[in-house]
Amino acid sequence: MEIPRIMLAAGSSGSGKTTITCGLLQAFKNRGLKAVSFKCGPDYIDPLFHKTVLGIPSKNLDTFFAPPGIVQELMAETAAYADIAVTEGVMGYYDGAGIKTHMASSYELAKVTDTPVILIVNARGMGISVIPYIKGFLEYKACSGIKAVILNQASRAVYSGLKPLIEKELGITVAGYLPVMQECHLESRHLGLVMPEEAAGIKEIINGLAVKMEECIDIDKIISIAESAPCINVNPVEIVPVCSYGKVRIGIAMDEAFCFYYEDNLRLLEKLGAELVYFSPLHEKKLPGNIDGCIFGGGYPELYLKGLSSNTSMLKSVKQALSARQMPYIAECGGFLYLHENMEDTCHNNYRLAGVIHADAIYKGKLQRFGYITLSPAVRANDKNKEIKAHEFHYYDSTDNGKSYIATKPFRNIQWECIHESGQGFAGFPHLYFYSCPGFARKFVEKCLHYSLLRNDS
């Protein structure tokens, strides 16, 4: 399959990947190109910024979560009818899931998908020293995949002097620069960038970036690099539906407090035959009618505790459905916290919540767990077919994290117990990636179908 594509990578976090990615996406859109976007790694917030630009969901591609064939198929499926696909890298270009591995790095994803890379170099405060900096990235691996560089936070004068030197000494295309633009800075928070709706005038900011990039960046050259990408060999993954579409209705919590979902997780549920019904635990009074299961994703419930706790009719509806009626559910991180009896805010004020999980959620003030994990059922710890991969990032802890699964960190001999798994429920801090174990998603839809049949017979 022919897919014009590029990856925007950098030497480290904070180099301007998201800013330049969003600006380029807007520039492509302004030119009438149909663009799609991806984020390397388990990030939720950067794809939401991409969505703000494109008006369509961005997806995650991750070589820890899924084998090469699945990654290639997911890229091809999304980009099949696009004019150009843009992938935003993660951390530093060669940084992976562990300190001594390239697994799950931008570099590995670029290799797996055969995607040309444009290296964003934060040149602020640098002159000719930028040349050995770039040279290191080009030569660290024999086939780095880097086809061009963009100098970020560089003045026109510095760029004009550096561009011919870099191209002469390193033989690499310098595709442009972006000056310091304080008015276009995207703020950060402990989980990454702020949510798009929180950034004042975000669309105006991104449009401003796109206009500036037309002045300072050779967008025609970037498109040419994207069009030089070789064809991807794709072997489609066959997903056999559990039921006909719409026979199973699954409620998806989606609002300001709950918005962290892998787009491909949701699409896989639809491929399995589920109809997704979105609802707001914050604003609506009860769960949607005639649903057969629920998923409470992650997000920022700690910022909306007053509203979540005061919405007693929704809390009652959730507890009745999940505890009394035994509706199947999945709850991840923020969704897991929402199901607790009590939850602290960041000032340690306590709020009553759903009470499905008989425990308290406690704010710890510092990062508790961070990074990739593999989850194995505690009773079948050696059954590879039951493993599912996930990611954790949270500042909260629970007085009862569950003991149904064993979490194992890759490349490190560290394990711990987690997850509440009952006959119908699965709840814990990990954010799951369904394509790492499609059987997990299938089993959940099957539970929802069984619940639907019982509900309709009663």
Side-chain angles (χ1 to χ4, degrees), residues 261-377:
Y261 293 93
Y262 293 122
E263 186 67 20
D264 281 313
N265 280 3
L266 301 178
R267 302 291 76 81
L268 179 56
L269 293 174
E270 290 182 328
K271 291 175 183 177
L272 289 167
E275 175 187 353
L276 305 186
V277 183
Y278 295 93
F279 70 97
S280 169
L282 186 59
H283 301 296
E284 297 177 30
K285 295 302 181 184
K286 61 181 182 178
L287 292 174
N290 299 321
I291 58 172
D292 309 301
C294 270
I295 298 181
F296 296 87
Y300 293 122
E302 66 270 27
L303 300 182
Y304 302 95
L305 274 174
K306 185 175 180 180
L308 291 169
S309 180
S310 63
N311 191 355
T312 54
S313 61
M314 175 59 82
L315 293 173
K316 181 179 179 181
S317 176
V318 169
K319 185 168 185 179
Q320 186 176 41
L322 274 54
S323 296
R325 297 204 303 269
Q326 295 288 290
M327 178 185 289
Y329 68 90
I330 295 172
E332 302 176 332
C333 204
F336 170 53
L337 297 177
Y338 176 70
L339 297 187
H340 278 59
E341 292 180 332
N342 301 284
M343 181 177 172
E344 292 181 338
D345 65 12
T346 55
C347 296
H348 302 290
N349 300 307
N350 220 34
Y351 292 86
R352 295 285 294 175
L353 289 176
V356 176
I357 304 293
H358 300 300
D360 296 329
I362 304 165
Y363 179 64
K364 305 297 285 187
K366 61 181 181 179
L367 194 59
Q368 296 302 290
R369 296 198 186 279
F370 166 69
Y372 291 109
I373 55 174
T374 298
L375 295 170
S376 307

